[in-house]
Amino acid sequence: MGKLEDININHLSLWVQQAKTLAAQGSVIQRIPILSVANPYWFAVHICCQSGENYTLGDNACIFPLMSVIKPFSFLYLLEHLGTENVLNWVGVEPSAMPFNSLEQLMTDSGKPRNPMINSGAITLADKLPGKNGNHRTQLFCQWLNKLAGSQLYLDLEMLASVRATRSQINVAIAQYLYQTQHIENIELALDTYEQICCISGTVEDLAKLGKLLACASSFISSQHRQIVNAVMLTCGLYEASPQYAVKIGLPMKSGISGALITIVPDKGAIASYSPALDSIGNSVAGLTLMETLSQNLQLSIFS
């Protein structure tokens, strides 16, 4: 396995330019009004190495909502606060062959979500977050992340209003089914919390700092919990495309429909990118292209 510090900034710049040209093959999400007006050619990358070295390129002042990239961190938060046994009773760790918002998959599984990286799993965990209401839960969670990671994440209220204005009816149906099968206690609270945590926003640097929590050993997060989250990201973090990228890239990753992508290089650091043009599955086209190039050129795969 290679070193992240071996990166050459000129090579990185070239690889970013090459990845950006492929953004034209994807399209920006249309369902959420604010996200729909993002420039498909925005591209930012931030690499946070264990050694303290940082590399940053592109439109790194862009602020974006983490959307589904928050899912590994709500999973980690609950593992830390409520323990492995409880959390793994609520969600499985199996990959799903169906899309991230599949109600059919959930019904096939009698209401127990396949994994915490898809919507059913994340809505179930949102129902369990500590706090008296959605606002309080999101505030506690965001404060915890910022304190541990040294990030400056915040809840983007304008983004949240845009998400609520076009609330996903599939997510409503998922929450109703989770409630019917006694996997969540409160439909509205679970959805409200889920929508709020998805609108936690920041820059690629903030996201890379979060990634470092999962990449590097520390005295404040259990190594067993990091291991569990990274394993589930490797097999489930890119939805039904996860197995293909486990072969191509070989690193734990998580994507979001805003175009955010976090990649964990265990014991080495984290790579965050932002590029809003998505493929048909909901993963950032240019972000994944860059990660494939980095993994192959620097031999970053955990299997290499």
Side-chain angles (χ1 to χ4, degrees):
M1 194 172 170
K3 284 188 184 160
L4 263 186
E5 288 89 343
D6 292 345
I7 208 158
N8 171 310
I9 197 74
N10 295 327
H11 288 163
L12 181 61
S13 181
L14 178 68
W15 295 334
V16 165
Q17 290 310 317
Q18 288 170 342
K20 267 180 85 165
T21 62
L22 294 181
Q25 295 177 10
S27 52
V28 174
I29 186 90
Q30 294 302 306
R31 191 179 62 75
I32 297 165
I34 292 186
L35 290 182
S36 72
V37 297
N39 179 338
Y41 293 102
W42 280 335
F43 195 102
V45 61
H46 189 96
I47 301 174
C48 223
C49 305
Q50 187 188 17
S51 62
E53 287 268 340
N54 284 284
Y55 302 89
T56 192
L57 271 178
D59 305 299
N60 52 17
C62 282
I63 290 173
F64 50 88
L66 299 190
M67 291 290 159
S68 286
V69 176
I70 202 67
K71 291 172 182 173
F73 301 100
S74 58
F75 184 35
L76 178 69
Y77 179 64
L78 285 173
L79 288 169
E80 288 282 303
H81 284 80
L82 302 174
T84 308
E85 194 180 344
N86 278 327
V87 178
L88 296 186
N89 273 335
W90 297 323
V91 292
V93 293
E94 304 285 320
S96 168
M98 294 189 199
F100 60 84
N101 58 356
S102 172
L103 179 60
E104 188 188 340
Q105 180 78 78
L106 188 64
M107 293 173 91
T108 303
D109 300 334
S110 310
K112 181 172 179 180
R114 273 286 161 116
N115 65 69
M117 304 296 154
I118 54 178
N119 292 15
S120 57
I123 291 167
T124 299
L125 294 188
D127 183 67
K128 319 295 181 196
L129 290 188
K132 52 185 183 283
N133 55 37
N135 297 5
H136 187 224
R137 290 171 172 203
T138 305
Q139 186 185 1
L140 289 175
F141 177 40
C142 199
Q143 283 170 348
W144 182 80
L145 290 172
N146 284 336
K147 184 180 165 199
L148 292 190
S151 50
Q152 294 180 304
L153 299 162
Y154 69 98
L155 173 61
D156 183 336
L157 294 173
E158 196 185 350
M159 185 63 66
L160 180 60
S162 192
V163 166
R164 285 176 169 163
T166 54
R167 174 174 267 186
S168 161
Q169 290 311 301
I170 296 179
N171 285 345
V172 173
I174 286 171
Q176 286 168 340
Y177 192 73
L178 288 167
Y179 179 75
Q180 282 165 25
T181 53
Q182 299 183 319
H183 287 84
I184 64 172
E185 287 174 28
N186 185 317
I187 295 172
E188 191 43 49
L189 181 57
L191 283 173
D192 178 41
T193 307
Y194 174 69
E195 288 168 350
Q196 289 201 43
I197 66 172
C198 285
C199 292
I200 290 176
S201 299
T203 63
V204 274
E205 182 179 358
D206 292 315
L207 180 53
K209 285 177 174 175
L210 277 195
K212 210 171 169 187
L213 293 176
L214 289 169
C216 304
S218 66
S219 56
F220 38 80
I221 286 184
S222 142
S223 57
Q224 186 208 12
H225 294 158
R226 283 194 307 118
Q227 193 179 325
I228 291 169
V229 176
N230 283 327
V232 176
M233 283 172 79
L234 179 75
T235 55
C236 309
L238 300 173
Y239 312 122
E240 63 269 43
S242 302
Q244 146 194 4
Y245 286 106
V247 172
K248 279 186 185 173
I249 295 174
L251 292 167
M253 302 172 79
K254 185 72 196 84
S255 61
I257 57 166
S258 58
L261 182 70
I262 185 68
T263 304
I264 310 304
V265 188
D267 304 319
K268 305 282 194 293
I271 304 167
S273 66
Y274 167 64
S275 175
L278 310 178
D279 63 20
S280 59
I281 288 171
N283 298 321
S284 170
V285 176
L288 282 176
T289 302
L290 177 65
M291 276 317 310
E292 209 174 319
T293 307
L294 283 173
S295 178
Q296 287 167 6
N297 281 279
L298 301 178
Q299 296 185 311
L300 297 178
S301 169
I302 56 174
F303 308 110
S304 63

